[in-house]
Amino acid sequence: MSSASQPSGLPPVVDNIEQTRALIAGWKQAGDKIIFVPTMGNLHAGHLALVEAANALGGKTVVSIFVNPLQFGKNEDLETYPRTFDEDISALSKYKVDLVFAPGVDVIYPEGGKSASIVDVPRLSAILDGEYRPDFFKGVATVVNKLFNIIQPDTAMFGEKDFQQLLVIRQMVKDLSMPIEIRSVATVREANGLAMSSRNHYLDDEQRHQAAVLYDCLEQVVKLVGEGEHPNYEVGRASQVLQAKGFRVDYVVVRRQQDLAVPEADDESLIVLAAVWLGSVRLIDNIPFEL
Ligand code: PAF
């Protein structure tokens, strides 16, 4: 798969660092900007919105497909995480994708799937999802750092669905003085409001229908907090509704958008975030809002 040429209409796929760097260096020399969309594959409309937004910026669009073992906990779904490479490449062929970087685990982690050096963004990684998935954001920050070093993009695109991840990456880029612009794209939802996610594949038809309650509850919090109700009261109520509808709730909180800290009375840019379980499937979602 190391070839950069593909049959007609399909984007070129490269699985090694040397060839990727050489192609990108050539584009940079020719004056092209590099716009990067990192993914773990199993592409859905949310990923494709990132690619579309990347295309709209001009320059060369580079997409990576890499299921990163470092961001999966011991009891998480690394083995069963959906891998749909051929479908992904075919979905990408509908866009202008100049390169798909699809390395194996041995390329990214030559020392047996591990990395001795870890990138940690401590405060942001320890709260909310970090409390439930202690190594997750270290795994994300480390692999995104590596991918940034390989691709050396001018701009990288991330979805707002993973809002905490987006802030971790922004903080990392700022703290480590990386010359990369981070752009975000709004969450793409199914018709019933369920946020697009690769893990939605694990839901059966009934659960998919039921999952829409999560977005309804978050919308209700936004509406009532906007009308002056206290956030703590509204997230408590949302949590009760979710439990009554069969969800197990990790958290439902209202936080400040800029740093996910508990809001002060005069904060106006807020976000409601939730993580819940439906059976064995963990769903996260959020809605940013202004008072
Ligand atoms: O959001 C994702 O798909 C992953 O966390 C990312 C950013 C590609 C890193 O593996």
Side-chain angles (χ1 to χ4, degrees):
M1 191 239 284
S2 64
S3 165
S5 61
Q6 276 272 70
S8 56
L10 296 181
V13 178
V14 172
D15 64 2
N16 65 84
I17 295 176
E18 297 69 28
Q19 211 181 348
T20 300
R21 283 208 167 119
L23 275 169
I24 289 173
W27 291 332
K28 286 195 168 201
Q29 229 159 24
D32 286 314
K33 296 273 184 227
I34 309 299
I35 320 295
F36 179 40
V37 181
T39 82
M40 297 210 299
N42 193 238
L43 304 182
H44 50 64
H47 297 109
L48 299 175
L50 298 179
V51 176
E52 199 174 347
N55 280 178
L57 297 177
K60 299 286 186 187
T61 297
V62 177
V63 176
S64 66
I65 297 181
F66 178 65
V67 180
N68 173 34
L70 225 57
Q71 69 189 75
F72 287 76
K74 254 203 247 100
N75 301 318
E76 293 184 358
D77 54 345
L78 174 61
E79 303 309 325
T80 54
Y81 193 83
R83 289 160 172 88
T84 52
F85 188 75
D86 291 345
E87 289 90 330
D88 292 346
I89 297 300
S90 144
L92 290 175
S93 69
K94 310 207 166 52
Y95 298 82
K96 183 182 123 19
V97 174
D98 299 282
L99 173 64
V100 177
F101 176 54
V105 173
D106 54 328
V107 170
I108 297 295
Y109 302 117
E111 292 175 36
K114 296 196 194 101
S115 175
S117 303
I118 295 292
V119 180
D120 189 10
V121 182
R123 189 197 73 80
L124 269 170
S125 298
I127 59 174
L128 302 176
D129 250 35
E131 279 185 39
Y132 295 87
R133 306 180 72 192
D135 293 323
F136 173 68
F137 290 113
K138 280 186 215 158
V140 169
T142 303
V143 81
V144 170
N145 196 314
K146 283 180 76 95
L147 292 168
F148 281 178
N149 285 333
I150 296 164
I151 309 290
Q152 301 199 4
D154 296 282
T155 302
M157 319 293 296
F158 290 85
E160 289 177 9
K161 151 90 171 25
D162 299 303
F163 199 86
Q164 191 173 356
Q165 165 173 285
L166 170 67
L167 292 199
V168 166
I169 301 299
R170 281 196 198 285
Q171 189 73 52
M172 174 185 82
V173 162
K174 186 169 163 230
D175 289 345
L176 302 183
S177 309
M178 297 174 157
I180 301 171
E181 177 200 22
I182 303 299
R183 289 206 180 212
S184 69
V185 173
T187 303
V188 178
R189 299 181 180 281
E190 295 189 6
N192 67 2
L194 174 64
M196 295 273 181
S197 162
S198 298
R199 290 189 167 101
N200 292 353
H201 287 282
Y202 300 144
L203 300 170
D204 62 29
D205 285 349
E206 198 190 322
Q207 287 174 319
R208 227 167 231 265
H209 180 69
Q210 196 185 347
V213 173
L214 174 58
Y215 182 57
D216 292 346
C217 281
L218 297 188
E219 273 198 312
Q220 195 64 8
V221 171
V222 171
K223 177 174 175 286
L224 293 168
V225 172
E227 286 169 9
E229 297 295 339
H230 197 285
N232 289 352
Y233 177 71
E234 291 312 325
V235 297
R237 199 153 68 164
S239 194
Q240 276 172 12
V241 172
L242 286 161
Q243 284 171 49
K245 300 267 181 188
F247 293 83
R248 185 153 63 80
V249 177
D250 278 352
Y251 60 81
V252 184
V253 292
V254 172
R255 293 291 171 97
R256 303 198 314 198
Q257 265 179 53
Q258 82 248 36
D259 57 5
L260 300 183
V262 175
E264 307 282 341
D266 57 351
D267 281 319
E268 291 179 346
S269 287
L270 303 180
I271 178 166
V272 56
L273 308 108
V276 298
W277 291 85
L278 202 46
S280 59
V281 186
R282 190 170 187 272
L283 303 170
I284 60 168
D285 200 356
N286 69 74
I287 307 180
F289 62 103
E290 306 293 325
L291 287 183

